[in-house]
Amino acid sequence: MLTIAISKGRILKDALPLLAEAGIEPSEDLGKTRKLIVSSKKGDVNLVIIRATDVPTFVEYGAADVGISGKDVLVEHNSDSLYEMLDLQLAKCRLMTAVIKGCELPAGKIRVATKYVSLARQYFAKKGRQVEIIKLYGSMELAPIVGLADCIVDLVDTGSTLEANNMEPQDLIMQISSRLVVNKASMKMKHEEIKELVKQLQVAVDKRC
Ligand code: ATP
Ligand code: PRP
């Protein structure tokens, strides 16, 4: 039996068709059920549907054998007890800095609003900029508008959220997509099942490219 942890929200939406191509389909409608553990039709896989930021934690501790998580969340989590096996090419976007349109960053220490505290700290340290990081859990684009921060570090896809809030992207920090991660112990104990899953998903990903 394999347990796969998946971020609810947009990764789940994108991952379900890919998992189906790899032969894994939930036994009930995830849009309707309130269950957090759902079995699959074949019966040898369970799906655990959780918050995006919790996926690496579940996999790291072996509560799930395998996880599907954004690269942003994985880098921010920064664990060396996970194997990153596959780029699933889902939920692609960019981690960027952004400012209010036409605004230059002030000299000296700047305030940065983000949920990616560690990534943002590392990025600005490399640039030699002193920063005060303000941790937020969402709606980062609001922070510069209300004077909470000089800039943000957040995900950008179409750019429409920035545009709608009179902001513009500045520097690219990292390209993001969803990855398949595996618990190190599960990799040893359930090697055959995991190898098969990775193979099937690789085929499904390649078909789409
Ligand atoms: P949480 O519920 O833990 O706060 P969240 O609200 O950030 O998570 P989602 O917005 O569904 O959850 O994002 C989950 C993942 O999807 C992100 O970690 C990222 O990898 C990817 N993602 C987020 N925003 C976008 C976007 N606009 N376009 C494409 N992929 C995105
Ligand atoms: C994500 C991200 C941006 C937006 C970018 O937000 O935090 O706000 O998507 O996408 P766009 O460039 O296509 O507009 P999400 O919708 O997940 O909301 P939240 O992070 O504020 O919960």
Side-chain angles (χ1 to χ4, degrees), residues 76-114:
E76 183 68 17
H77 185 80
N78 189 29
S79 164
D80 53 13
S81 20
L82 299 175
Y83 291 123
E84 190 182 308
M85 300 293 291
L86 208 54
D87 184 346
L88 298 170
Q89 308 276 345
L90 304 175
K92 286 188 183 176
C93 53
R94 290 150 286 149
L95 184 71
M96 303 196 70
T97 63
V99 292
I100 290 180
K101 275 186 187 168
C103 276
E104 292 287 317
L105 284 179
K109 195 171 188 175
I110 51 169
R111 278 197 185 171
V112 181
T114 187

PDB file of all heavy atoms in Angstrom, residues 76-114:
ATOM      1  N   GLU A  76      11.551  26.114   0.327  1.00  0.00           N
ATOM      2  CA  GLU A  76      11.326  26.833   1.584  1.00  0.00           C
ATOM      3  C   GLU A  76      11.389  25.862   2.776  1.00  0.00           C
ATOM      4  O   GLU A  76      11.941  26.192   3.817  1.00  0.00           O
ATOM      5  CB  GLU A  76       9.954  27.543   1.528  1.00  0.00           C
ATOM      6  CG  GLU A  76       9.609  28.384   2.727  1.00  0.00           C
ATOM      7  CD  GLU A  76      10.467  29.643   2.896  1.00  0.00           C
ATOM      8  OE1 GLU A  76      11.128  30.070   1.937  1.00  0.00           O
ATOM      9  OE2 GLU A  76      10.479  30.175   4.012  1.00  0.00           O
ATOM     10  N   HIS A  77      10.878  24.653   2.597  1.00  0.00           N
ATOM     11  CA  HIS A  77      10.886  23.646   3.667  1.00  0.00           C
ATOM     12  C   HIS A  77      12.311  23.176   3.962  1.00  0.00           C
ATOM     13  O   HIS A  77      12.667  22.898   5.107  1.00  0.00           O
ATOM     14  CB  HIS A  77      10.001  22.462   3.253  1.00  0.00           C
ATOM     15  CG  HIS A  77       9.846  21.425   4.319  1.00  0.00           C
ATOM     16  ND1 HIS A  77       8.986  21.557   5.363  1.00  0.00           N
ATOM     17  CD2 HIS A  77      10.474  20.229   4.503  1.00  0.00           C
ATOM     18  CE1 HIS A  77       9.060  20.499   6.141  1.00  0.00           C
ATOM     19  NE2 HIS A  77       9.966  19.675   5.647  1.00  0.00           N
ATOM     20  N   ASN A  78      13.122  23.056   2.895  1.00  0.00           N
ATOM     21  CA  ASN A  78      14.551  22.775   3.008  1.00  0.00           C
ATOM     22  C   ASN A  78      14.876  21.522   3.832  1.00  0.00           C
ATOM     23  O   ASN A  78      15.584  21.598   4.837  1.00  0.00           O
ATOM     24  CB  ASN A  78      15.248  24.011   3.621  1.00  0.00           C
ATOM     25  CG  ASN A  78      16.748  23.893   3.568  1.00  0.00           C
ATOM     26  OD1 ASN A  78      17.278  23.230   2.670  1.00  0.00           O
ATOM     27  ND2 ASN A  78      17.439  24.506   4.515  1.00  0.00           N
ATOM     28  N   SER A  79      14.361  20.389   3.387  1.00  0.00           N
ATOM     29  CA  SER A  79      14.653  19.145   4.098  1.00  0.00           C
ATOM     30  C   SER A  79      15.563  18.272   3.252  1.00  0.00           C
ATOM     31  O   SER A  79      15.370  18.151   2.043  1.00  0.00           O
ATOM     32  CB  SER A  79      13.349  18.397   4.364  1.00  0.00           C
ATOM     33  OG  SER A  79      13.623  17.068   4.711  1.00  0.00           O
ATOM     34  N   ASP A  80      16.564  17.645   3.899  1.00  0.00           N
ATOM     35  CA  ASP A  80      17.387  16.723   3.115  1.00  0.00           C
ATOM     36  C   ASP A  80      16.940  15.280   3.340  1.00  0.00           C
ATOM     37  O   ASP A  80      17.635  14.345   2.987  1.00  0.00           O
ATOM     38  CB  ASP A  80      18.885  16.915   3.378  1.00  0.00           C
ATOM     39  CG  ASP A  80      19.212  16.844   4.846  1.00  0.00           C
ATOM     40  OD1 ASP A  80      18.332  16.414   5.625  1.00  0.00           O
ATOM     41  OD2 ASP A  80      20.337  17.224   5.214  1.00  0.00           O
ATOM     42  N   SER A  81      15.775  15.101   3.975  1.00  0.00           N
ATOM     43  CA  SER A  81      15.301  13.721   4.140  1.00  0.00           C
ATOM     44  C   SER A  81      14.212  13.337   3.146  1.00  0.00           C
ATOM     45  O   SER A  81      13.408  12.443   3.404  1.00  0.00           O
ATOM     46  CB  SER A  81      14.850  13.449   5.578  1.00  0.00           C
ATOM     47  OG  SER A  81      14.574  14.594   6.265  1.00  0.00           O
ATOM     48  N   LEU A  82      14.203  13.998   2.012  1.00  0.00           N
ATOM     49  CA  LEU A  82      13.256  13.649   0.945  1.00  0.00           C
ATOM     50  C   LEU A  82      14.042  13.427  -0.341  1.00  0.00           C
ATOM     51  O   LEU A  82      15.022  14.122  -0.581  1.00  0.00           O
ATOM     52  CB  LEU A  82      12.313  14.825   0.665  1.00  0.00           C
ATOM     53  CG  LEU A  82      11.412  15.342   1.764  1.00  0.00           C
ATOM     54  CD1 LEU A  82      10.669  16.568   1.264  1.00  0.00           C
ATOM     55  CD2 LEU A  82      10.433  14.269   2.151  1.00  0.00           C
ATOM     56  N   TYR A  83      13.594  12.496  -1.162  1.00  0.00           N
ATOM     57  CA  TYR A  83      14.145  12.398  -2.505  1.00  0.00           C
ATOM     58  C   TYR A  83      13.203  13.108  -3.461  1.00  0.00           C
ATOM     59  O   TYR A  83      12.003  12.824  -3.459  1.00  0.00           O
ATOM     60  CB  TYR A  83      14.247  10.931  -2.965  1.00  0.00           C
ATOM     61  CG  TYR A  83      15.270  10.107  -2.232  1.00  0.00           C
ATOM     62  CD1 TYR A  83      14.885   8.943  -1.580  1.00  0.00           C
ATOM     63  CD2 TYR A  83      16.618  10.462  -2.225  1.00  0.00           C
ATOM     64  CE1 TYR A  83      15.816   8.149  -0.923  1.00  0.00           C
ATOM     65  CE2 TYR A  83      17.547   9.678  -1.571  1.00  0.00           C
ATOM     66  CZ  TYR A  83      17.151   8.522  -0.922  1.00  0.00           C
ATOM     67  OH  TYR A  83      18.061   7.749  -0.277  1.00  0.00           O
ATOM     68  N   GLU A  84      13.739  14.021  -4.284  1.00  0.00           N
ATOM     69  CA  GLU A  84      12.918  14.638  -5.328  1.00  0.00           C
ATOM     70  C   GLU A  84      13.114  13.800  -6.588  1.00  0.00           C
ATOM     71  O   GLU A  84      14.208  13.752  -7.133  1.00  0.00           O
ATOM     72  CB  GLU A  84      13.367  16.087  -5.554  1.00  0.00           C
ATOM     73  CG  GLU A  84      12.418  16.841  -6.432  1.00  0.00           C
ATOM     74  CD  GLU A  84      12.882  18.259  -6.697  1.00  0.00           C
ATOM     75  OE1 GLU A  84      13.182  19.002  -5.741  1.00  0.00           O
ATOM     76  OE2 GLU A  84      12.964  18.601  -7.887  1.00  0.00           O
ATOM     77  N   MET A  85      12.055  13.112  -7.016  1.00  0.00           N
ATOM     78  CA  MET A  85      12.210  12.095  -8.061  1.00  0.00           C
ATOM     79  C   MET A  85      11.850  12.579  -9.459  1.00  0.00           C
ATOM     80  O   MET A  85      12.358  12.061 -10.435  1.00  0.00           O
ATOM     81  CB  MET A  85      11.310  10.884  -7.747  1.00  0.00           C
ATOM     82  CG  MET A  85      11.606  10.208  -6.440  1.00  0.00           C
ATOM     83  SD  MET A  85      13.207   9.430  -6.447  1.00  0.00           S
ATOM     84  CE  MET A  85      12.931   8.105  -7.587  1.00  0.00           C
ATOM     85  N   LEU A  86      10.896  13.517  -9.523  1.00  0.00           N
ATOM     86  CA  LEU A  86      10.335  13.813 -10.838  1.00  0.00           C
ATOM     87  C   LEU A  86       9.803  15.241 -10.885  1.00  0.00           C
ATOM     88  O   LEU A  86       9.171  15.692  -9.932  1.00  0.00           O
ATOM     89  CB  LEU A  86       9.174  12.832 -11.047  1.00  0.00           C
ATOM     90  CG  LEU A  86       8.766  12.391 -12.443  1.00  0.00           C
ATOM     91  CD1 LEU A  86       9.953  11.825 -13.188  1.00  0.00           C
ATOM     92  CD2 LEU A  86       7.663  11.330 -12.336  1.00  0.00           C
ATOM     93  N   ASP A  87      10.057  15.912 -12.015  1.00  0.00           N
ATOM     94  CA  ASP A  87       9.390  17.193 -12.268  1.00  0.00           C
ATOM     95  C   ASP A  87       8.104  16.872 -13.013  1.00  0.00           C
ATOM     96  O   ASP A  87       8.151  16.410 -14.158  1.00  0.00           O
ATOM     97  CB  ASP A  87      10.308  18.101 -13.106  1.00  0.00           C
ATOM     98  CG  ASP A  87       9.698  19.481 -13.317  1.00  0.00           C
ATOM     99  OD1 ASP A  87       8.493  19.648 -13.067  1.00  0.00           O
ATOM    100  OD2 ASP A  87      10.437  20.387 -13.724  1.00  0.00           O
ATOM    101  N   LEU A  88       6.975  17.096 -12.363  1.00  0.00           N
ATOM    102  CA  LEU A  88       5.687  16.722 -12.959  1.00  0.00           C
ATOM    103  C   LEU A  88       5.181  17.776 -13.948  1.00  0.00           C
ATOM    104  O   LEU A  88       4.155  17.559 -14.607  1.00  0.00           O
ATOM    105  CB  LEU A  88       4.645  16.493 -11.858  1.00  0.00           C
ATOM    106  CG  LEU A  88       4.987  15.348 -10.897  1.00  0.00           C
ATOM    107  CD1 LEU A  88       4.043  15.360  -9.702  1.00  0.00           C
ATOM    108  CD2 LEU A  88       4.926  14.007 -11.607  1.00  0.00           C
ATOM    109  N   GLN A  89       5.892  18.896 -14.018  1.00  0.00           N
ATOM    110  CA  GLN A  89       5.550  19.956 -14.988  1.00  0.00           C
ATOM    111  C   GLN A  89       4.127  20.492 -14.780  1.00  0.00           C
ATOM    112  O   GLN A  89       3.474  20.874 -15.751  1.00  0.00           O
ATOM    113  CB  GLN A  89       5.700  19.443 -16.436  1.00  0.00           C
ATOM    114  CG  GLN A  89       7.026  18.806 -16.743  1.00  0.00           C
ATOM    115  CD  GLN A  89       8.107  19.817 -17.104  1.00  0.00           C
ATOM    116  OE1 GLN A  89       7.823  20.975 -17.385  1.00  0.00           O
ATOM    117  NE2 GLN A  89       9.350  19.391 -17.066  1.00  0.00           N
ATOM    118  N   LEU A  90       3.662  20.484 -13.526  1.00  0.00           N
ATOM    119  CA  LEU A  90       2.318  20.995 -13.211  1.00  0.00           C
ATOM    120  C   LEU A  90       2.440  22.308 -12.441  1.00  0.00           C
ATOM    121  O   LEU A  90       3.473  22.563 -11.819  1.00  0.00           O
ATOM    122  CB  LEU A  90       1.561  20.008 -12.319  1.00  0.00           C
ATOM    123  CG  LEU A  90       1.377  18.577 -12.792  1.00  0.00           C
ATOM    124  CD1 LEU A  90       0.710  17.760 -11.691  1.00  0.00           C
ATOM    125  CD2 LEU A  90       0.540  18.543 -14.055  1.00  0.00           C
ATOM    126  N   ALA A  91       1.352  23.078 -12.427  1.00  0.00           N
ATOM    127  CA  ALA A  91       1.277  24.328 -11.646  1.00  0.00           C
ATOM    128  C   ALA A  91       2.549  25.155 -11.812  1.00  0.00           C
ATOM    129  O   ALA A  91       3.187  25.552 -10.846  1.00  0.00           O
ATOM    130  CB  ALA A  91       0.999  24.022 -10.171  1.00  0.00           C
ATOM    131  N   LYS A  92       2.888  25.399 -13.078  1.00  0.00           N
ATOM    132  CA  LYS A  92       4.118  26.151 -13.359  1.00  0.00           C
ATOM    133  C   LYS A  92       3.909  27.641 -13.107  1.00  0.00           C
ATOM    134  O   LYS A  92       2.866  28.200 -13.472  1.00  0.00           O
ATOM    135  CB  LYS A  92       4.520  25.959 -14.813  1.00  0.00           C
ATOM    136  CG  LYS A  92       5.094  24.597 -15.115  1.00  0.00           C
ATOM    137  CD  LYS A  92       5.615  24.617 -16.534  1.00  0.00           C
ATOM    138  CE  LYS A  92       6.145  23.283 -16.952  1.00  0.00           C
ATOM    139  NZ  LYS A  92       6.565  23.295 -18.342  1.00  0.00           N
ATOM    140  N   CYS A  93       4.869  28.255 -12.505  1.00  0.00           N
ATOM    141  CA  CYS A  93       4.833  29.697 -12.278  1.00  0.00           C
ATOM    142  C   CYS A  93       6.250  30.159 -11.932  1.00  0.00           C
ATOM    143  O   CYS A  93       7.187  29.369 -12.064  1.00  0.00           O
ATOM    144  CB  CYS A  93       3.838  30.042 -11.168  1.00  0.00           C
ATOM    145  SG  CYS A  93       4.092  29.125  -9.640  1.00  0.00           S
ATOM    146  N   ARG A  94       6.399  31.416 -11.542  1.00  0.00           N
ATOM    147  CA  ARG A  94       7.722  31.943 -11.214  1.00  0.00           C
ATOM    148  C   ARG A  94       7.681  32.596  -9.839  1.00  0.00           C
ATOM    149  O   ARG A  94       6.689  33.270  -9.512  1.00  0.00           O
ATOM    150  CB  ARG A  94       8.144  33.006 -12.240  1.00  0.00           C
ATOM    151  CG  ARG A  94       8.459  32.454 -13.603  1.00  0.00           C
ATOM    152  CD  ARG A  94       8.149  33.453 -14.701  1.00  0.00           C
ATOM    153  NE  ARG A  94       6.704  33.544 -14.899  1.00  0.00           N
ATOM    154  CZ  ARG A  94       6.045  34.620 -15.291  1.00  0.00           C
ATOM    155  NH1 ARG A  94       6.669  35.738 -15.537  1.00  0.00           N
ATOM    156  NH2 ARG A  94       4.730  34.605 -15.423  1.00  0.00           N
ATOM    157  N   LEU A  95       8.736  32.412  -9.074  1.00  0.00           N
ATOM    158  CA  LEU A  95       8.869  33.148  -7.811  1.00  0.00           C
ATOM    159  C   LEU A  95       9.626  34.437  -8.133  1.00  0.00           C
ATOM    160  O   LEU A  95      10.746  34.380  -8.661  1.00  0.00           O
ATOM    161  CB  LEU A  95       9.640  32.310  -6.786  1.00  0.00           C
ATOM    162  CG  LEU A  95       9.742  32.948  -5.404  1.00  0.00           C
ATOM    163  CD1 LEU A  95       8.377  32.942  -4.697  1.00  0.00           C
ATOM    164  CD2 LEU A  95      10.757  32.221  -4.526  1.00  0.00           C
ATOM    165  N   MET A  96       8.987  35.577  -7.834  1.00  0.00           N
ATOM    166  CA  MET A  96       9.564  36.856  -8.252  1.00  0.00           C
ATOM    167  C   MET A  96       9.481  37.905  -7.151  1.00  0.00           C
ATOM    168  O   MET A  96       8.675  37.779  -6.223  1.00  0.00           O
ATOM    169  CB  MET A  96       8.818  37.390  -9.489  1.00  0.00           C
ATOM    170  CG  MET A  96       8.823  36.438 -10.654  1.00  0.00           C
ATOM    171  SD  MET A  96       8.378  37.229 -12.202  1.00  0.00           S
ATOM    172  CE  MET A  96       9.786  38.250 -12.537  1.00  0.00           C
ATOM    173  N   THR A  97      10.284  38.926  -7.308  1.00  0.00           N
ATOM    174  CA  THR A  97      10.062  40.122  -6.498  1.00  0.00           C
ATOM    175  C   THR A  97       9.109  41.020  -7.297  1.00  0.00           C
ATOM    176  O   THR A  97       9.074  40.943  -8.528  1.00  0.00           O
ATOM    177  CB  THR A  97      11.374  40.896  -6.231  1.00  0.00           C
ATOM    178  OG1 THR A  97      11.901  41.350  -7.472  1.00  0.00           O
ATOM    179  CG2 THR A  97      12.404  40.016  -5.531  1.00  0.00           C
ATOM    180  N   ALA A  98       8.358  41.835  -6.607  1.00  0.00           N
ATOM    181  CA  ALA A  98       7.454  42.760  -7.300  1.00  0.00           C
ATOM    182  C   ALA A  98       7.280  44.024  -6.469  1.00  0.00           C
ATOM    183  O   ALA A  98       7.379  43.984  -5.230  1.00  0.00           O
ATOM    184  CB  ALA A  98       6.100  42.096  -7.550  1.00  0.00           C
ATOM    185  N   VAL A  99       7.052  45.133  -7.190  1.00  0.00           N
ATOM    186  CA  VAL A  99       6.891  46.438  -6.528  1.00  0.00           C
ATOM    187  C   VAL A  99       5.672  47.157  -7.114  1.00  0.00           C
ATOM    188  O   VAL A  99       5.163  46.747  -8.156  1.00  0.00           O
ATOM    189  CB  VAL A  99       8.138  47.336  -6.749  1.00  0.00           C
ATOM    190  CG1 VAL A  99       9.358  46.790  -6.035  1.00  0.00           C
ATOM    191  CG2 VAL A  99       8.422  47.516  -8.237  1.00  0.00           C
ATOM    192  N   ILE A 100       5.269  48.238  -6.486  1.00  0.00           N
ATOM    193  CA  ILE A 100       4.220  49.075  -7.066  1.00  0.00           C
ATOM    194  C   ILE A 100       4.771  49.672  -8.360  1.00  0.00           C
ATOM    195  O   ILE A 100       5.949  50.053  -8.421  1.00  0.00           O
ATOM    196  CB  ILE A 100       3.798  50.183  -6.079  1.00  0.00           C
ATOM    197  CG1 ILE A 100       3.040  49.531  -4.905  1.00  0.00           C
ATOM    198  CG2 ILE A 100       2.929  51.244  -6.763  1.00  0.00           C
ATOM    199  CD1 ILE A 100       2.567  50.488  -3.842  1.00  0.00           C
ATOM    200  N   LYS A 101       3.951  49.711  -9.408  1.00  0.00           N
ATOM    201  CA  LYS A 101       4.399  50.192 -10.727  1.00  0.00           C
ATOM    202  C   LYS A 101       5.169  51.511 -10.617  1.00  0.00           C
ATOM    203  O   LYS A 101       4.702  52.452  -9.969  1.00  0.00           O
ATOM    204  CB  LYS A 101       3.194  50.404 -11.651  1.00  0.00           C
ATOM    205  CG  LYS A 101       2.782  49.141 -12.348  1.00  0.00           C
ATOM    206  CD  LYS A 101       1.681  49.420 -13.367  1.00  0.00           C
ATOM    207  CE  LYS A 101       1.163  48.118 -13.923  1.00  0.00           C
ATOM    208  NZ  LYS A 101      -0.053  48.258 -14.690  1.00  0.00           N
ATOM    209  N   GLY A 102       6.338  51.519 -11.247  1.00  0.00           N
ATOM    210  CA  GLY A 102       7.135  52.749 -11.316  1.00  0.00           C
ATOM    211  C   GLY A 102       7.916  53.072 -10.050  1.00  0.00           C
ATOM    212  O   GLY A 102       8.648  54.051 -10.014  1.00  0.00           O
ATOM    213  N   CYS A 103       7.765  52.248  -9.003  1.00  0.00           N
ATOM    214  CA  CYS A 103       8.464  52.542  -7.742  1.00  0.00           C
ATOM    215  C   CYS A 103       9.858  51.913  -7.715  1.00  0.00           C
ATOM    216  O   CYS A 103      10.006  50.748  -8.037  1.00  0.00           O
ATOM    217  CB  CYS A 103       7.677  52.004  -6.545  1.00  0.00           C
ATOM    218  SG  CYS A 103       6.403  53.106  -6.006  1.00  0.00           S
ATOM    219  N   GLU A 104      10.845  52.692  -7.303  1.00  0.00           N
ATOM    220  CA  GLU A 104      12.195  52.163  -7.077  1.00  0.00           C
ATOM    221  C   GLU A 104      12.271  51.717  -5.621  1.00  0.00           C
ATOM    222  O   GLU A 104      11.638  52.330  -4.749  1.00  0.00           O
ATOM    223  CB  GLU A 104      13.227  53.285  -7.285  1.00  0.00           C
ATOM    224  CG  GLU A 104      13.353  53.765  -8.729  1.00  0.00           C
ATOM    225  CD  GLU A 104      14.057  52.748  -9.608  1.00  0.00           C
ATOM    226  OE1 GLU A 104      15.061  52.177  -9.148  1.00  0.00           O
ATOM    227  OE2 GLU A 104      13.573  52.511 -10.742  1.00  0.00           O
ATOM    228  N   LEU A 105      13.074  50.706  -5.358  1.00  0.00           N
ATOM    229  CA  LEU A 105      13.272  50.321  -3.961  1.00  0.00           C
ATOM    230  C   LEU A 105      14.118  51.387  -3.277  1.00  0.00           C
ATOM    231  O   LEU A 105      15.075  51.886  -3.864  1.00  0.00           O
ATOM    232  CB  LEU A 105      13.983  48.967  -3.875  1.00  0.00           C
ATOM    233  CG  LEU A 105      13.126  47.734  -4.181  1.00  0.00           C
ATOM    234  CD1 LEU A 105      13.960  46.470  -4.076  1.00  0.00           C
ATOM    235  CD2 LEU A 105      11.929  47.658  -3.252  1.00  0.00           C
ATOM    236  N   PRO A 106      13.773  51.762  -2.051  1.00  0.00           N
ATOM    237  CA  PRO A 106      14.569  52.772  -1.342  1.00  0.00           C
ATOM    238  C   PRO A 106      15.976  52.249  -1.039  1.00  0.00           C
ATOM    239  O   PRO A 106      16.185  51.034  -0.977  1.00  0.00           O
ATOM    240  CB  PRO A 106      13.786  52.988  -0.041  1.00  0.00           C
ATOM    241  CG  PRO A 106      12.949  51.782   0.127  1.00  0.00           C
ATOM    242  CD  PRO A 106      12.667  51.254  -1.244  1.00  0.00           C
ATOM    243  N   ALA A 107      16.940  53.153  -0.859  1.00  0.00           N
ATOM    244  CA  ALA A 107      18.292  52.721  -0.460  1.00  0.00           C
ATOM    245  C   ALA A 107      18.211  52.253   0.998  1.00  0.00           C
ATOM    246  O   ALA A 107      17.287  52.613   1.720  1.00  0.00           O
ATOM    247  CB  ALA A 107      19.244  53.903  -0.599  1.00  0.00           C
ATOM    248  N   GLY A 108      19.170  51.456   1.410  1.00  0.00           N
ATOM    249  CA  GLY A 108      19.191  50.978   2.807  1.00  0.00           C
ATOM    250  C   GLY A 108      18.251  49.814   3.010  1.00  0.00           C
ATOM    251  O   GLY A 108      17.877  49.119   2.071  1.00  0.00           O
ATOM    252  N   LYS A 109      17.855  49.631   4.255  1.00  0.00           N
ATOM    253  CA  LYS A 109      17.048  48.461   4.608  1.00  0.00           C
ATOM    254  C   LYS A 109      15.652  48.532   3.983  1.00  0.00           C
ATOM    255  O   LYS A 109      15.003  49.578   4.060  1.00  0.00           O
ATOM    256  CB  LYS A 109      16.930  48.403   6.130  1.00  0.00           C
ATOM    257  CG  LYS A 109      16.454  47.087   6.670  1.00  0.00           C
ATOM    258  CD  LYS A 109      16.585  47.097   8.185  1.00  0.00           C
ATOM    259  CE  LYS A 109      16.321  45.749   8.770  1.00  0.00           C
ATOM    260  NZ  LYS A 109      16.560  45.705  10.215  1.00  0.00           N
ATOM    261  N   ILE A 110      15.228  47.418   3.385  1.00  0.00           N
ATOM    262  CA  ILE A 110      13.881  47.414   2.796  1.00  0.00           C
ATOM    263  C   ILE A 110      12.997  46.390   3.500  1.00  0.00           C
ATOM    264  O   ILE A 110      13.487  45.410   4.052  1.00  0.00           O
ATOM    265  CB  ILE A 110      13.912  47.087   1.281  1.00  0.00           C
ATOM    266  CG1 ILE A 110      14.713  45.810   1.007  1.00  0.00           C
ATOM    267  CG2 ILE A 110      14.427  48.262   0.491  1.00  0.00           C
ATOM    268  CD1 ILE A 110      14.553  45.287  -0.403  1.00  0.00           C
ATOM    269  N   ARG A 111      11.704  46.660   3.440  1.00  0.00           N
ATOM    270  CA  ARG A 111      10.734  45.715   4.017  1.00  0.00           C
ATOM    271  C   ARG A 111      10.164  44.846   2.922  1.00  0.00           C
ATOM    272  O   ARG A 111       9.669  45.352   1.910  1.00  0.00           O
ATOM    273  CB  ARG A 111       9.603  46.481   4.656  1.00  0.00           C
ATOM    274  CG  ARG A 111       9.892  46.973   6.028  1.00  0.00           C
ATOM    275  CD  ARG A 111       8.539  47.301   6.566  1.00  0.00           C
ATOM    276  NE  ARG A 111       8.593  47.915   7.851  1.00  0.00           N
ATOM    277  CZ  ARG A 111       7.537  48.430   8.431  1.00  0.00           C
ATOM    278  NH1 ARG A 111       6.367  48.430   7.796  1.00  0.00           N
ATOM    279  NH2 ARG A 111       7.599  48.945   9.614  1.00  0.00           N
ATOM    280  N   VAL A 112      10.198  43.536   3.148  1.00  0.00           N
ATOM    281  CA  VAL A 112       9.746  42.572   2.139  1.00  0.00           C
ATOM    282  C   VAL A 112       8.635  41.714   2.733  1.00  0.00           C
ATOM    283  O   VAL A 112       8.837  41.056   3.756  1.00  0.00           O
ATOM    284  CB  VAL A 112      10.916  41.643   1.722  1.00  0.00           C
ATOM    285  CG1 VAL A 112      10.460  40.661   0.663  1.00  0.00           C
ATOM    286  CG2 VAL A 112      12.112  42.449   1.238  1.00  0.00           C
ATOM    287  N   ALA A 113       7.461  41.729   2.094  1.00  0.00           N
ATOM    288  CA  ALA A 113       6.363  40.885   2.572  1.00  0.00           C
ATOM    289  C   ALA A 113       6.331  39.599   1.753  1.00  0.00           C
ATOM    290  O   ALA A 113       6.399  39.630   0.524  1.00  0.00           O
ATOM    291  CB  ALA A 113       5.037  41.627   2.423  1.00  0.00           C
ATOM    292  N   THR A 114       6.240  38.481   2.424  1.00  0.00           N
ATOM    293  CA  THR A 114       6.250  37.194   1.722  1.00  0.00           C
ATOM    294  C   THR A 114       5.832  36.057   2.635  1.00  0.00           C
ATOM    295  O   THR A 114       5.886  36.186   3.857  1.00  0.00           O
ATOM    296  CB  THR A 114       7.671  36.882   1.175  1.00  0.00           C
ATOM    297  OG1 THR A 114       7.617  35.720   0.354  1.00  0.00           O
ATOM    298  CG2 THR A 114       8.683  36.674   2.283  1.00  0.00           C
TER     299      THR A 114
END
